[in-house]
Amino acid sequence: MADDKPTLRARMRALRDEFAMTIGGVIAPPPALLDRLVPGVIVSSYIPIGSEADPTAIAFAARERGCTIVLPHVTSRESPVRFFAWNPDQPLIDGPLGLRQPSTDAPEMDPQIVLTPLLAFDATLNRLGQGAGHYDRVFERLPDAWRIGIAWSVQQVEALATDPWDIPLHGIVTETATFGAAAA
C-alpha cells in the first residue's frame, strides 16, 4: 500500500535531509531554462529551508540575464503567498514557517517563472509540497506562469497520489537531470 501524504512527507523529508548532508550544493540552470531567462522576465526564487534544493545558481543566472527576482512572502500558514522584488544586497526578514523573505517595502510583482521547492515528485511532473497548499494556490492564481520544481534526485518517486487541486509542474530540475519542459 502506498504511503498516505503525511507519512510520505516525513519519509521524503528524512531522505532529503540525509542526501543534502552528503551531497549539498546548488542546482545548476539547464539550457532550456536559461533560454527563458531574458530581460524583463520576473522569476520567483526562494531561500532554501534546511535540506531543500538550492536554486541560487538559477536565480543568479536570471539576474545576470536581466530578469527581476522576486521571493515569496507569507504571514501565516493560511495566508496567500505574495511576491516581492529582491536583490542580494537587500536584507531579508524572518517570516513564519522558517522562511527568510523580503520586506513588503519592495515592489510586489507576479512572477512569470516560479521556482518551487518540494518534498517529492514523479515522472508525470506531480509534486508533493509541505502540505499548506501555498504553491497550489499560487499556481491556480497564476495559470500562465512556468512552474519549475527544484529538487534533489532522491526526491523522485514512482507515482504520487494527487488531489483535484494539485497542479502539475511544467518541469523539474535536479542536480543530475531535468524533466518536462525544463529538459526541452
Side-chain angles (χ1 to χ4, degrees):
M1 181 172 102
D3 291 336
D4 62 14
K5 284 186 176 183
T7 302
L8 181 58
R9 281 187 180 98
R11 185 167 59 84
M12 295 308 294
R13 206 173 278 118
L15 184 63
R16 184 182 73 184
D17 289 349
E18 181 180 332
F19 182 81
M21 283 177 47
T22 59
I23 301 297
V26 296
I27 304 296
L33 181 53
L34 288 173
D35 290 345
R36 289 186 177 247
L37 301 178
V38 297
V41 169
I42 301 168
V43 178
S44 166
S45 190
Y46 61 91
I47 305 300
I49 298 172
S51 61
E52 288 178 341
D54 190 343
T56 301
I58 298 170
F60 278 104
R63 271 187 57 79
E64 289 172 2
R65 293 169 183 273
C67 298
T68 299
I69 302 300
V70 296
L71 295 179
H73 185 280
V74 298
T75 55
S76 71
R77 187 171 174 85
E78 297 79 25
S79 69
V81 175
R82 297 166 61 198
F83 295 95
F84 291 91
W86 179 76
N87 64 61
D89 63 344
Q90 293 174 313
L92 296 170
I93 61 173
D94 289 330
L97 312 170
L99 295 175
R100 299 284 299 148
Q101 57 192 22
S103 163
T104 56
D105 295 339
E108 185 173 355
M109 307 170 125
D110 284 337
Q112 295 155 299
I113 298 174
V114 179
L115 305 179
T116 180
L118 50 85
L119 284 170
F121 68 93
D122 64 23
T124 59
L125 306 179
N126 292 307
R127 68 179 278 280
L128 178 69
Q130 296 287 351
H134 280 119
Y135 279 96
D136 293 315
R137 292 189 301 271
V138 166
F139 299 158
E140 182 179 24
R141 192 184 81 203
L142 303 172
D144 296 329
W146 207 46
R147 304 176 298 272
I148 301 297
I150 308 298
W152 302 117
S153 56
V154 297
Q155 293 175 257
Q156 184 174 10
V157 297
E158 187 172 322
L160 286 172
T162 59
D163 290 308
W165 55 83
D166 291 328
I167 299 173
L169 299 168
H170 291 108
I172 297 167
V173 181
T174 74
E175 81 286 1
T176 60
T178 56
F179 302 86

